[in-house]
Amino acid sequence: MKNFTILYLSILAFALASCGASDDPNAEMNTQFAVDVADSTHVLSPRTYSYLQNYSLPLGIKAAVVTTNSIDDAEMGRYADNLFDQYCEKQYSGNTFRQRGVLIVVSESPQLIQVRVGKTYAVYCRMHGSAAGESYLNMQEQVADRGLDEMCPIALNNVMKDIEDCRHLSWYQKVALTLSFARVEQLMDDLATPSESLFNRFYFRPFQFLLGGLRVLSGSWMMAFLILALGYTLLKNYVEDKLKVFVMKKAKQDSKSEQDYSNNLKDYGLMLNAGLFVVKFLLTIPTLAAISVLSTSRTEDVIALQYAHIPSVDIIGSTMQWTNEAPGLGMVLMLMCIYYLKFLLCDNGMFSVAHCSDRKQQQLISNNAARVMCDQIINLGYNRYVISKIIKLLFSVLTVLPFVHNVHEYNHDANNYDPNDPNDDGKPKKRPIDFCFYDSDSDFYRQSPLLAIMVNTHREALWLTAFLGIAAIMLFSYPYVIYFLVLWIVQFAIRAIQEVRYVMKQKGMSGDMQPMRLFDQVWLTNLIFAISMGVLLAILAPSYQVKAMDKVEEVAKALPDDFSGLYFVPKANGADVKGTTARIMQTPDGGYYMQVYSDKPMRRFELTLDREKGIFHCDVLGDGYITYDEQTKSLRINFSDLWILTN
């Protein structure tokens, strides 16, 4: 028993000893951190160094300023990302930095200031120009004229101002920001930033070459997007048509009865949709990433693209245009209208036959296979599962985020729904969203089955269009909106042509059609939706102002007015010394001199203060870099690491 007690206490002591401070960022939300300045290359002046060291950060924010002499073009864009990751891996503070860290990388070759922000405020800082966008590009352009030393504090001030503004947003603006489309663009930027990795070189770079080449050949982004959208849509439609024919042929070969054929067609159809989704995913992601980077708002990406010899690298100052401007709102509303019209033509022929008479519609689905297919569409819809997930996510966010202080670190996870999970009667289980739609038991579906499907399709289109508009309004990224607008216009035009060809092939169908049937059912809903979405988008649209690049006056005050006083000399003539002191005194004409006291005779050195650069010049000792800690009122004067003085 005694041995067991000793063993138990030993294990407990070991466990307690091995438990360090938890790396919980929320535990340090009210902590005042100092700026970590790593300027081993002396890119910054001592005055700026002192200013950064004494900078008062907002509570909970960790900031680091790192200087380097040069960055290879091949590493540009990834250099700051990798350095940020290193700070995120530090023990006990890495998670805090990952959430609320700010990294500023200052390089002499090229003259560049790169900014990276932790994920809590990354989206807002990129949206409002301190980490990407028009103001970020303006800052880089002014570095060449005003210098790294002056622009580095401006870069830090811009980020801190955005962080403070983000913290004072109203709750609904925080919710909108959390759900915003901006995260998608950030992901695309990060994914496609050129690097020498195999994944980037053989997956993303070919799409960058393709899109850049189209831009050069066509002369404009609009024409490049049109060519790309047309080629993508035609290729997708061709592959989809061939696969549908193969699926129907395969289902027929493997079926012994009409019921088997319906089941096989359903199963093979799911496989077809899954395959098409994978193909579209593999094509869409690198295309969007190429658009994001080729029309980049980060100068470092431009340098890397030029190094990779990718054609048509443009720095578009208007990459980030905000939707509180009338043209921006109009563009988003146009995007929503085109998407809505495209969605109405989901299935070839469905829109047209839904406008036929009730008798014609009932005849068209009189056979068992057609009835099974229509029952499935009316009950499950085309994208109702996705709509249900989004509504669940939105509801969970709306009920929690208004009461969460650190709103951007809230982790939301909507419950999963299985659209094939049956209820006790063996029918598909109803989700809350299903009560907004007709089902196979409704009288309207029995009377006008295909028109009921189109009304459901219209309602699904409205839900998805609303989510699309709310997401797009958060970040009006000009290249993205133009690309999707062109892509969906092309897809709508092709689907409309296919629909007309379908009607022309059906004998006597055009004479039986009533072209206003769907409009008569949905016109009031569409009118209310358009008005309400216009008002909602105008309210949610974030304001945007170009960042001021005024000189930071506090930098000039980063050093004390008077340097007179007694100093300790821990290093003299490049060696550690003991018992040596120095006194700096001011002359009547404003100059300075230093007297050194030791076991040797007193030595006197004439000093010239350059307050603008933050150095003492001495003909004997050289330049002495002055750093000042305002909180402790301590000074450090370093003469080329050969003589060091501290007060």
Side-chain angles (χ1 to χ4, degrees), residues 36-49:
D36 181 7
V37 186
D39 184 25
S40 59
T41 58
H42 298 297
V43 172
L44 304 175
S45 70
R47 182 189 59 179
T48 301
Y49 186 94

Side-chain angles (χ1 to χ4, degrees), residues 170-183:
S170 57
W171 71 266
Y172 64 88
Q173 289 176 314
K174 291 179 180 180
V175 171
L177 180 65
T178 303
L179 299 172
S180 74
F181 184 68
R183 298 177 188 275

Side-chain angles (χ1 to χ4, degrees), residues 300-333:
E300 50 267 33
D301 290 337
V302 174
I303 296 173
L305 288 165
Q306 290 172 339
Y307 172 83
H309 306 294
I310 303 228
S312 182
V313 179
D314 292 342
I315 302 179
I316 302 178
S318 60
T319 294
M320 301 214 174
Q321 295 290 337
W322 298 102
T323 50
N324 54 344
E325 302 173 359
L329 279 172
M331 186 71 73
V332 172
L333 291 174

Side-chain angles (χ1 to χ4, degrees), residues 12-269:
L12 181 62
F14 177 79
L16 291 174
S18 63
C19 292
S22 62
D23 188 12
D24 178 13
N26 293 308
E28 299 180 298
M29 273 294 298
N30 297 317
T31 303
Q32 180 80 55
F33 295 100
V35 179
D36 181 7
V37 186
D39 184 25
S40 59
T41 58
H42 298 297
V43 172
L44 304 175
S45 70
R47 182 189 59 179
T48 301
Y49 186 94
S50 296
Y51 170 78
L52 295 174
Q53 274 194 322
N54 298 318
Y55 193 94
S56 180
L57 294 170
L59 292 179
I61 301 299
K62 289 183 67 69
V65 178
V66 180
T67 66
T68 181
N69 291 122
S70 64
I71 304 175
D72 292 336
D73 289 349
E75 299 178 12
M76 194 61 61
R78 289 293 178 190
Y79 183 90
D81 294 339
N82 294 335
L83 194 57
F84 187 89
D85 291 340
Q86 291 178 23
Y87 274 90
C88 292
E89 293 171 0
K90 288 189 175 183
Q91 192 176 16
Y92 305 133
S93 64
N95 200 23
T96 300
F97 199 86
R98 182 180 293 106
Q99 296 288 347
R100 297 187 305 280
V102 175
L103 173 66
I104 296 179
V105 179
V106 183
S107 61
E108 285 187 304
S109 179
Q111 274 201 329
L112 197 64
I113 299 175
Q114 300 185 56
V115 178
R116 299 293 184 269
V117 182
K119 67 179 185 179
T120 299
Y121 302 103
V123 172
Y124 191 87
C125 289
R126 290 169 66 93
M127 288 172 63
H128 285 259
S130 59
E134 185 178 358
S135 295
Y136 189 75
L137 295 175
N138 291 339
M139 180 187 69
Q140 304 295 0
E141 291 172 357
Q142 294 193 39
V143 165
D145 298 328
R146 299 171 63 173
L148 297 167
D149 198 59
E150 182 178 339
M151 295 306 296
C152 182
I154 291 176
L156 181 62
N157 277 351
N158 285 344
V159 177
M160 296 307 143
K161 182 180 184 305
D162 279 346
I163 288 176
E164 291 284 13
D165 290 345
C166 185
R167 287 181 168 182
H168 290 92
L169 289 176
S170 57
W171 71 266
Y172 64 88
Q173 289 176 314
K174 291 179 180 180
V175 171
L177 180 65
T178 303
L179 299 172
S180 74
F181 184 68
R183 298 177 188 275
V184 177
E185 193 197 39
Q186 180 179 349
L187 173 65
M188 296 304 170
D189 270 350
D190 295 340
L191 280 177
T193 296
S195 69
E196 297 303 312
S197 66
L198 293 176
F199 181 71
N200 189 282
R201 290 172 61 189
F202 294 104
Y203 184 52
F204 286 107
R205 198 166 295 179
F207 287 86
Q208 293 170 344
F209 272 106
L210 172 64
L211 193 59
L214 290 175
R215 166 68 173 80
V216 171
L217 292 174
S218 62
S220 70
W221 280 116
M222 184 73 76
M223 288 302 299
F225 291 160
L226 181 60
I227 297 171
L228 185 67
L230 191 60
Y232 168 79
T233 305
L234 292 176
L235 178 62
K236 181 181 72 68
N237 288 351
Y238 175 80
V239 173
E240 189 172 4
D241 290 342
K242 293 297 181 183
L243 288 177
K244 282 183 178 179
V245 172
F246 172 78
V247 163
M248 293 177 67
K249 185 177 179 181
K250 182 67 175 172
K252 192 172 183 179
Q253 289 176 351
D254 297 344
S255 303
K256 296 181 180 180
S257 65
E258 189 174 346
Q259 185 64 40
D260 287 344
Y261 176 72
S262 298
N263 294 335
N264 288 333
L265 190 62
K266 177 182 175 182
D267 295 338
Y268 292 156

